[in-house]
Amino acid sequence: MSEENKTAKKKCGGKGKAMFAYGIIQLGSSVVSALALTAIALSFCSLKQESKVFNECVEEIQSTGKSSSDAVRFCNGGK
């Protein structure tokens, strides 16, 4: 009976290592996903700030009497 138990334990050893590796891979992919989402969120913050500055530029140029298209062209770097 003890020989049968030893062979049964040897057969399960490979499955345990495979499941452990699978768990580590799953955890790693979750960490990578979280970091990617954080990077995306931070890029949205800078995009919001950039759009705010652009809108202020357009409003300032429009207040000088220029048309909306001229103000947008100027704020985009045109003449």
Side-chain angles (χ1 to χ4, degrees):
M1 187 92 169
S2 64
E3 279 187 37
E4 290 175 7
N5 287 342
K6 288 180 183 178
T7 57
K9 286 183 182 178
K10 287 182 181 178
K11 289 181 182 177
C12 292
K15 289 181 183 177
K17 289 180 184 178
M19 291 303 288
F20 181 73
Y22 177 75
I24 294 295
I25 291 169
Q26 283 291 101
L27 184 62
S29 66
S30 296
V31 169
V32 170
S33 295
L35 292 174
L37 288 173
T38 302
I40 291 169
L42 292 175
S43 69
F44 280 138
C45 290
S46 65
L47 185 65
K48 180 180 177 184
Q49 180 66 26
E50 186 178 341
S51 69
K52 180 180 176 185
V53 170
F54 179 80
N55 288 338
E56 288 174 357
C57 176
V58 169
E59 288 174 5
E60 183 179 342
I61 299 302
Q62 281 180 334
S63 68
T64 63
K66 295 198 176 197
S67 68
S68 295
S69 61
D70 287 337
V72 169
R73 186 180 314 118
F74 178 81
C75 292
N76 276 334
K79 294 182 178 182

